[in-house]
Amino acid sequence: MEYRKGPEFSQADIREVRDFLAGRRLKKYVLPPERLHVVNDGREHFLRISNGKTGEYPVRGSFLFKLLKWYAFPSRQIDRLSIDTVTSVLNDYLLAIPGGDVNVTVEDGEALSLTSRRYNELSDTEVLDCAERVGVASVSRNDYFMRVYSDTAYEVQPVPGDVCGIGYNVFNSETGFRSLSVRLFIRRYVCSNGAVVGMASGGERVHYGHPDMELRKFLEEQMRSGEEAMEDVGRLLVESAHRASGPMVEQVSARLRAIIGKKRTDGLLDEIGEDPTAYDLANSITSLAQGLDLRRRLQAEAIGGELLAPQEALDARTSEKFEHTLTEG
């Protein structure tokens, strides 16, 4: 079953994304879920909104999968069900939503998202405003999340002549599919492969239950704190060129199979050969990632980042610095 989707941008110029965000037509409804009803015409779903007057809007995949996610329904099962069965499930789920009113967003005449009243929205435009303070190189965006690539702020050579730049990735979702977070992004200049690395545990915020402006303040604080983390990531990146990947291969293989399948994963590992360094394995994975859609690309590049700069190593360095500060104080 195919579902509608809005425009998708892959590492596009920020002006192109801003023009879309400024030009789109948004309608927002706050109403009880019993005023919502899903119907179909045999080919696709429509959301019927009864709010004084009745309107019908074609349903995008983001609306449908958000409602299914609300109840942990396995989205891969959708293709096994008839359109009438899916319609019935969606309507049952709408009626089962607790807690009063919900938020419905209609974008350019299509039902885009469904969130609870406790949802704290931080618009993609606001996120771009914050990110531009450190420079924005490009932006990827679809109905599910936005990923902002900053300009390079730090450079390192894991191998002589092989220069890598480190900057920020900022993630946001207006539709509730991702937390607000700031990560570091490693780009290998020679081939443009990229890897996503965390700065420290706790570096994200869900879009629920925060006072006004807290999410924006969190974003600004995370971007300010990133410079020191870049140095730590740079050191781990250099170490990765000499660190054996053996202990992580089995775990990496299992995660990669869930993204690209067993055949492609086995082929990638066979091409690398025996005893690759963490740097070699990460580069192979992130090279493959460039041909994937936005969601799977991010997943693969996060695996590459774990190989280059494991989260536990970053957390350990952060803890050491904190203890040193206490001692010095």
Side-chain angles (χ1 to χ4, degrees):
M1 201 178 297
E2 293 291 328
Y3 291 94
R4 298 193 184 206
K5 60 182 180 179
E8 182 168 293
F9 303 89
S10 181
Q11 293 188 283
D13 187 280
I14 185 175
R15 291 169 294 185
E16 185 181 355
V17 179
R18 276 195 178 280
D19 286 346
F20 165 72
L21 294 174
R24 61 183 174 164
R25 294 175 292 112
L26 288 179
K27 286 185 178 180
K28 295 182 180 290
Y29 298 91
V30 181
L31 72 178
E34 56 264 27
R35 294 187 185 176
L36 305 175
H37 188 71
V38 177
V39 297
N40 74 77
D41 64 358
R43 298 184 305 276
E44 65 177 327
H45 288 102
F46 297 82
L47 178 67
R48 183 176 293 164
I49 299 178
S50 301
N51 192 36
K53 59 181 181 179
T54 300
E56 281 189 7
Y57 306 94
V59 168
R60 288 193 190 170
S62 53
F63 182 96
L64 178 139
F65 291 118
K66 182 61 193 300
L67 183 53
L68 295 180
K69 180 183 177 184
W70 208 316
Y71 292 93
F73 185 95
S75 57
R76 291 184 180 181
Q77 297 297 318
I78 284 293
D79 291 337
R80 300 173 182 265
L81 305 177
S82 71
I83 191 169
D84 289 332
T85 299
V86 174
T87 302
S88 179
V89 169
L90 295 176
N91 283 319
D92 285 346
Y93 279 176
L94 283 171
L95 292 175
I97 292 175
D101 291 348
V102 294
N103 305 310
V104 176
T105 300
V106 175
E107 180 182 275
D108 294 331
E110 298 174 348
L112 171 67
S113 71
L114 176 75
T115 56
S116 81
R117 286 299 305 275
R118 294 183 63 243
Y119 184 77
N120 298 124
E121 182 176 330
L122 181 65
S123 73
D124 285 345
T125 298
E126 290 179 273
V127 171
L128 291 176
D129 290 342
C130 290
E132 279 198 293
R133 297 176 186 177
V134 296
V136 173
S138 62
V139 182
S140 293
R141 186 187 186 279
N142 59 19
D143 287 343
Y144 300 91
F145 71 98
M146 181 175 73
R147 179 180 184 182
V148 182
Y149 297 78
S150 81
D151 293 333
T152 296
Y154 188 86
E155 291 185 345
V156 66
Q157 294 187 56
V159 176
D162 190 356
V163 182
C164 294
I166 303 176
Y168 296 101
N169 264 179
V170 182
F171 297 95
N172 189 51
S173 174
E174 293 183 338
T175 50
F177 283 88
R178 281 197 66 88
S179 300
L180 175 68
S181 61
V182 179
R183 299 287 184 263
L184 297 184
F185 181 71
I186 302 169
R187 185 184 300 281
R188 190 181 179 204
Y189 292 159
V190 69
C191 57
S192 295
N193 290 356
V196 184
V197 178
M199 293 192 295
S201 293
E204 62 182 350
R205 290 289 186 276
V206 296
H207 290 77
Y208 290 92
H210 300 292
D212 290 344
M213 298 301 294
E214 183 172 321
L215 289 179
R216 186 173 183 126
K217 290 177 182 177
F218 165 77
L219 177 57
E220 293 169 348
E221 289 168 0
Q222 287 292 298
M223 297 186 73
R224 282 196 299 269
S225 67
E227 291 184 13
E228 199 170 288
M230 288 184 191
E231 296 181 14
D232 290 336
V233 169
R235 285 191 286 270
L236 289 169
L237 186 54
V238 171
E239 293 172 9
S240 73
H242 309 283
R243 189 191 325 125
S245 65
M248 296 187 70
V249 169
E250 185 175 341
Q251 178 191 22
V252 165
S253 176
R255 292 173 62 189
L256 205 53
R257 285 175 181 172
I259 300 170
I260 61 172
K262 182 179 185 301
K263 184 176 180 180
R264 294 181 71 184
T265 298
D266 292 347
L268 180 145
L269 295 177
D270 288 342
E271 287 179 9
I272 297 175
E274 296 182 3
D275 301 322
T277 65
Y279 188 68
D280 293 333
L281 182 54
N283 281 325
S284 294
I285 293 170
T286 55
S287 178
L288 176 145
Q290 293 192 57
L292 302 176
D293 59 70
L294 298 186
R295 179 182 62 86
R296 294 189 301 156
R297 178 172 185 164
L298 173 57
Q299 290 174 328
E301 290 181 345
I303 294 174
E306 271 288 309
L307 285 162
L308 297 174
Q311 187 65 58
E312 58 268 22
L314 288 171
D315 290 342
R317 288 179 185 269
T318 301
S319 177
E320 288 172 5
K321 288 178 181 177
F322 179 68
E323 290 177 4
H324 178 71
T325 302
L326 292 178
T327 303
E328 290 295 307

